[in-house]
Amino acid sequence: MQEEAARAADPSPYGEASRRILGTELLLVLALSLGASGVSALISFIGSVTRPGGLKDQAATLNGSYAPGRPWLDLAWQLFGVSTSLVPVLLVAHLLLREGAGLRAIGFDRTRPWSDLGRGALLAAAIGGTGLAFYLVVRAAGFNLTVVPESLPDVWWKIPVLILSAIQNSVLEEVIVVGYLLRRLGQLGWTPMAALVGSSLLRGSYHLYQGIGGFIGNMVMGVVFVLLYRRWGRVGPLVAAHALIDIVAFVGYALLAGKVGWLPTP
């Protein structure tokens, strides 16, 4: 807690710059990344609930093909999508570096790799199973779309691309929605509780395209992640946990879809 408070009190990269400049910076970062995703998810959700039929009869595909029938072109688009999605993380790293802090200030570095991985694995085990059970329940109740983690062609690069996609998701979300956002909100004078609520609502918002269940489940996950970040002072374990959860979801679906009765498919 003390380390978090110290980080939040650090001077901005502009010295005596006003809160307005910090606020503008934050809005621009979010507009280029997960804030825009939240608006997109809201529009998608409105489209889903106003479409004839129930939510569970509709599908939300997370990793789809960009060039069906053209595997090499598809691979190029997949790699392009993964790499460009990480540009906002590079922007955050640049802004924190100008501040004199860098990503180390939010605990995203190589100083504690095994500790980060160990904590992340335990967290993934705790959240992964609970999250799957929650998804199955809310989908059965009609509050969620059928989530399709992947619909890629069966080519040699399928599993590696799914793993890269999972890592990209985890780095983008945890660096921006936890480390960077909490730091800036603290510098803007937000209380710890308000920052926790803001971070959690943002995480839930860009999962709204999955339905009510996706929004609520990820918002709860956001609360847990913020509390653990404040306890550990590092986003490294959160990145590891998120990556492991998504890898299991993406690769597990690829291996099990259509082969087990309990896993919903379109």
Side-chain angles (χ1 to χ4, degrees), residues 40-61 142-146 207-212:
S40 173
L42 175 60
I43 296 172
S44 177
F45 176 70
I46 293 173
S48 296
V49 296
T50 55
R51 186 177 299 155
L55 289 180
K56 68 178 182 179
D57 297 322
Q58 303 175 46
T61 302
F143 296 117
N144 219 75
L145 284 75
T146 298
H207 288 95
L208 190 56
Y209 68 92
Q210 299 176 10
I212 300 295

Side-chain angles (χ1 to χ4, degrees), residues 5-226:
R7 280 197 304 272
D10 283 347
S12 79
Y14 307 101
E16 297 300 323
S18 67
R19 290 183 178 181
R20 180 178 299 177
I21 293 178
L22 278 180
T24 300
E25 175 202 295
L26 177 58
L27 289 176
L28 288 174
V29 169
L30 293 179
L32 291 171
S33 57
L34 296 168
S37 297
V39 175
S40 173
L42 175 60
I43 296 172
S44 177
F45 176 70
I46 293 173
S48 296
V49 296
T50 55
R51 186 177 299 155
L55 289 180
K56 68 178 182 179
D57 297 322
Q58 303 175 46
T61 302
L62 307 187
N63 295 283
S65 175
Y66 292 118
R70 307 181 68 183
W72 285 103
L73 182 62
D74 200 349
L75 174 60
W77 277 118
Q78 298 291 339
L79 296 178
F80 175 79
V82 168
S83 57
T84 53
S85 295
L86 289 174
V87 171
V89 176
L90 297 178
L91 175 59
V92 164
H94 170 72
L95 293 169
L96 293 177
L97 190 61
R98 289 186 61 189
E99 186 179 338
L103 291 175
R104 178 171 293 187
I106 61 173
F108 189 56
D109 53 33
R110 294 177 293 178
T111 59
R112 305 178 191 174
W114 296 115
S115 173
D116 289 347
L117 183 58
R119 286 173 168 175
L122 292 175
L123 182 57
I127 289 183
T130 304
L132 175 60
F134 179 74
Y135 160 68
L136 294 175
V137 169
V138 295
R139 179 192 173 275
F143 296 117
N144 219 75
L145 284 75
T146 298
V147 177
V148 181
E150 69 84 23
S151 62
L152 296 175
D154 290 322
V155 291
W156 65 269
W157 49 259
K158 177 176 182 174
I159 300 301
V161 162
L162 290 175
I163 293 173
L164 285 176
S165 177
I167 295 172
Q168 172 259 306
N169 287 342
S170 64
V171 172
L172 176 67
E173 293 187 35
E174 306 316 325
V175 168
I176 292 181
V177 179
V178 179
Y180 172 74
L181 181 62
L182 291 182
R183 185 180 182 86
R184 285 293 181 260
L185 292 181
Q187 292 170 331
L188 289 169
W190 286 44
T191 66
M193 179 57 71
L196 181 149
V197 172
S199 175
S200 303
L201 283 174
L202 175 59
R203 188 186 295 268
S205 73
Y206 56 78
H207 288 95
L208 190 56
Y209 68 92
Q210 299 176 10
I212 300 295
F215 173 78
I216 295 176
N218 280 279
M219 189 171 64
V220 172
M221 176 178 166
V223 171
V224 173
F225 273 30
V226 167

